Structure formats: C-alpha cells, structure tokens
Amino acid sequence: MQHFPIFMDLAGRRVVLAGGGDAALAKLRLLLKSQARLTVLAPDPAPEIVAWAAHGRLHLVRRTVEPGDALCAALFYAATDDDAEDARVARLARADGALVNMVDNLAGSQFITPAIVDRDPVTIAIGTEGAAPVLARRIKRDLEERLSPTLGTLARVGKGFRHMAERLPFGRARRDFWLAYYDRAGPRAMAEGGEAALRPVLDRLLEEHLSQPDMPGHVAFVGAGPGDPDLLTMKARKALDAADVVVHDRLVPSAILELARREAVMLDVGKEGFGRHTDQGEINDLLVAHVRAGAQVVRLKSGDPAVFGRLEEEVEAIEAAGLDWSVVPGITAASASVAAIGRSLTRRGRNASVRLLTGHDMRGFADHDWAQLARPGEVAAIYMGKRAARFIQGRLLMHGADPETPVSVVENASRSDERRIATTLGRLEPALGEAGLTGPALVLYGFAPRRAAELTIPLQEAL
Ligand code: SAH
C-alpha cells in the first residue's frame, strides 16, 4: 500500500487550488463538500467558479500562483490543465510547506484524491494507486447502487443517539442494538415515516433491547474451505461477521481471517503436521473459557471441520461444560483437489468408494488395511501425506500395488499458488521430493489428472 487512506479534518483549514478550467472544476466539486476555506487562483476562471466565489463558497484570486500563495495551506491542488504550469505551481506550493496534489500526475503528487461515495457522515473512499481508474469508478457505481441514499440520514440520527445507547452494556448488546437499527428498524421507519420517524424507533428499540436478557455464549465450528475465500459458505461468512473471538488453525489464510469482524479477538492455535502446536487440551480449555464468558466464538478450521479436524474432541469438551455449539460444514481439501485435476471422487464403474486417510494415521495401519488399499481400482485421498509419502509408497508396493497406479498431488488447492503434480505410485518419491512442496498438499492415490496438459509440473517431467 503506497498510499495510506486517512480522513483529514479540513474544517476551517486553508486549501488552495490553482486552475480555473475542467480539472479545477472536477476537484472543486469534491472540495466544496468539505468545510475547508478554499482559495482558487486562476487568471481566467470558469463561470461556475466565479458564481461560487460570488456566493461566498470560495475565495477567488484572478492571477497565477506566486511564491507564498500556499503558506499555511493544508493542501494544495495543481489543476491548471497545463503540465508545465502545474509543475511550476506545485514547486512553489511545496516550498510553502503544503501537501501537493497534481491532477493526473501520480508521481508528482504527495497525496491522491480517491473516488468517493458520499453518504455523509458515511464516506467511502476508493483508491487504486492510480492503477485502474475505470475499476474505481465501477466499484463506486456498485456501492452507489447498493447503499440507500437514506443511509446518511440514518447514520446522522444514529450518531445523535449514541449517548442514549450507552445504557446498554458495551460489546455485543450494544452492537446488536445498532445492527437492528441499521439493518431493519431504521430503513423501515425511514421508508414509512421519513427522518422524523427515526427517533421514536430508536427509543422503542432501545427499550426492547434493555429488557432482553444477554445472549448466551456459543461456539460455531466453522469450515474455512481449502483457502480460496470465494469457497467459504454464506453461513461461514455470517459467523465470521458476528464473531467476538476467532480461534483458528495455521492453515487458514489471512484473506479469510480478514473477513472476521474487525473487533474480533483472533487467536492462532496453529497446528502443523509434525511440528509445533498448541496442545489439544489447551485449545479445549480456551474454547470453553470464552464461551462460558458469553462470547460468540468461531472455531475456524481449514477445509471441513469434520475431516481430520478433531471436531468431536472439541465438541465433547464444550458439551461436558454444558455449553452451546453448532457446526458449519466447509469444502474439504479432497473436494478442492479433485476439482483441480478435473476428476470426481467417485465414478460409476470405476470406484464406488473413496477413502479419506491421513498419512499420519497410516503408520498405524494393519497389514490387511494395506492389502485392501493395494488392490486394483482402489482410490484414496491422503491428507497430511507429504512426509509420509515414502512410507505409504513402500507399504503399498510391498502389498502388491501396481507401481503404474496413477497418483496426483495437489498443493495449495484452490489458492492462487495451486500446483498439480501427476505421477505414479512407483515414482511418488522422488517426484514429491523434486517438486519441493512447501504448502499443504493432498495425495490423490489412484487418480490421474484429466487435463494433463494444464499441469503445473508436466507429466513427462514428473514421470
Ligand atoms: N479439515 C481439513 C483437513 C485438515 S488436515 C479439510 O477438510 O480439508 C490438514 C491437511 O489437509 C493438510 O496436510 C493437507 O493434506 C490437506 N489440505 C488442507 N488444505 C489444503 C489445500 N488447500 N490443498 C491441498 N491440501 C490441503
């Protein structure tokens, strides 16, 4: 982020703009929304500018910029529609100590003006670092359509009621009150009775919320999916949006964690295959403590919480404490991985069953398990199989599996850095070693990729 967005208090501050043509007009229309003291320097100003000056909305000086014109100015805009003149006035303004913006000149600007969606006091600033003005305009249009024109009124009246809402305890109770106002009661009252109807609705809503008992604590075991935020369920997003506390695993990417409510406490209890991890008992205690304290907890697990996620252990701890819980399923890595290679997990006439295994637990596999899996036509999705690959390969071959059995490995399934490797059981090691996997990877035993040509590591190379 080269440009860091802030909202600047311009009330009563001096803002100077050089220029009297189209560029100046565009900037002035925005600046006139602020409470800044505007000075425009232009030898030949457009009629609109002259009219604004006549109405006392800005101070007009009919000449070009001279040294000292930008003294004590918070901001300075070079908007003369002339590159050389813009450069000259920008230099003078900088020497006067003002922060300078040059219209259509990113490199020469110390700050840039975003596209703005104005629902004062709600203001949305959209910036693309100058990369895509078209995109900024499109986002602005989408937001303009989505946000009711009455939002500003709702927010202004709401702001005047904040001190009253402090009668509700800080935290969830107060938040629920405001959500009820902004999501439902406020817009409805506005539609039916206009601004005058808002205050009575706020009074009534507050009484209702004051008489409600506190909401009890709850933990939702939520599947975060394989990593792509678009693969989250709506329910998962809602849960994140309402969470007081999010307890998550290492595998959940930051793009998903960022969807959690801004005030939510984020706790990383990262567990890595064979490495450092928080003890399961500690995680259970943590969940119980927060739910008992009345928090809405989201226990966020990668993929589906019910697949190699120790779901039941945590549910049992919550139940033993007599607390409330629910499960929000997610897309498991096996689903995302077969999707990546264009296969289905089952297929009529090919395989009617599929095993979900962890490389970890296969170390405890009995001989007959291996013998069964080694039979022709058997398939399996092997989680946490990266380090166990050599061991799995050895055992399967020992129990008579065909070395030509196809194996696909999908690393970072569904993420932008997804990699697909096609190999065979006989070549699984060294293919995995050569690939140098660093992210989570799923071993799909008995699956060849459909779109071989699209493999990240071509078949020929891997073979
Ligand atoms: N509950 C998770 C699995 C947790 S076990 C689920 O349903 O997906 C962790 C293992 O899942 C990793 O070692 C890896 O084998 C697999 N995994 C998780 N995310 C993955 C991804 N994006 N791509 C490939 N494998 C993944």
Side-chain angles (χ1 to χ4, degrees), residues 9-348:
D9 182 2
L10 283 182
R13 301 284 304 274
R14 188 167 135 78
V15 171
V16 179
L17 181 141
D22 288 344
L25 281 173
K27 285 283 182 268
L28 284 171
R29 285 198 186 93
L30 277 181
L31 286 167
L32 283 168
K33 291 171 183 277
S34 77
Q35 296 163 33
R37 283 190 299 119
L38 284 175
T39 296
V40 175
L41 290 125
D44 185 17
E48 290 93 329
I49 299 179
V50 176
W52 285 326
H55 284 97
R57 301 189 63 191
L58 51 81
H59 177 58
L60 176 61
V61 183
R62 290 173 183 258
R63 60 167 171 77
T64 54
V65 175
E66 292 168 8
D69 276 340
L71 280 175
C72 300
L75 304 178
F76 180 91
Y77 285 85
T80 65
D81 293 308
D82 173 338
D83 290 348
E85 176 64 356
D86 272 356
R88 184 187 74 85
V89 301
R91 208 166 40 244
L92 291 179
R94 260 187 233 113
D96 286 345
L99 269 182
V100 171
N101 171 270
M102 293 175 73
V103 170
D104 290 335
N105 183 340
L106 190 64
S109 296
Q110 288 163 295
F111 71 95
I112 51 180
T113 319
I116 290 173
V117 179
D118 177 13
R119 298 286 186 278
D120 188 43
V122 177
T123 310
I124 300 166
I126 304 154
T128 63
E129 303 274 15
V134 181
L135 186 60
R137 276 197 291 277
R138 174 126 163 247
I139 295 170
K140 175 176 155 70
R141 198 191 60 211
D142 286 352
L143 289 171
E144 293 281 8
E145 278 171 14
R146 261 224 318 258
L147 300 175
S148 148
T150 62
L151 179 68
T153 312
L154 284 179
R156 188 161 35 75
V157 174
K159 190 174 170 190
F161 198 77
R162 286 186 73 87
H163 62 288
M164 296 291 288
E166 280 167 16
R167 288 171 63 197
L168 287 163
F170 179 75
R172 169 154 295 275
R174 223 180 273 174
R175 201 166 59 242
D176 285 349
F177 165 78
W178 285 119
L179 285 179
Y181 169 67
Y182 282 113
D183 287 354
R184 298 182 294 278
R188 206 181 314 130
M190 194 71 195
E192 288 167 5
E195 180 170 350
L198 291 180
R199 180 62 198 245
V201 157
L202 278 167
D203 287 328
R204 202 170 57 238
L205 204 60
L206 182 60
E207 289 312 318
E208 267 173 41
H209 279 248
L210 280 168
S211 60
Q212 260 171 23
D214 283 349
M215 201 155 72
H218 175 92
V219 55
F221 296 93
V222 176
D228 178 354
D230 280 348
L231 290 179
L232 278 172
T233 61
M234 302 278 274
K235 223 169 175 171
R237 288 199 70 141
K238 281 189 200 150
L240 282 170
D241 207 42
D244 298 311
V245 179
V246 176
V247 181
H248 65 91
D249 290 345
R250 184 190 54 94
L251 273 183
V252 181
S254 57
I256 288 179
L257 297 177
E258 274 167 22
L259 297 173
R261 200 166 62 82
R262 180 92 164 264
E263 298 79 16
V265 177
M266 309 297 290
L267 302 171
D268 180 358
V269 290
K271 266 190 284 195
E272 195 162 352
F274 297 78
R276 258 168 33 82
H277 64 276
T278 309
D279 176 72
Q280 188 60 48
E282 278 174 44
I283 298 177
N284 296 350
D285 292 347
L286 194 71
L287 293 175
V288 167
H290 282 289
V291 178
R292 200 169 260 155
Q296 301 303 304
V297 179
V298 165
R299 172 70 173 109
L300 195 59
K301 293 168 179 285
S302 78
D304 184 291
V307 178
F308 305 124
R310 303 211 181 176
L311 173 66
E312 291 200 23
E313 294 171 45
E314 294 177 16
V315 165
E316 278 155 20
I318 293 292
E319 259 181 1
L323 299 167
D324 213 22
W325 58 276
S326 62
V327 178
V328 179
I331 294 181
T332 190
S335 300
S337 299
V338 284
I341 61 163
R343 290 291 174 196
S344 57
L345 278 172
T346 60
R347 176 174 177 159
R348 249 188 331 161

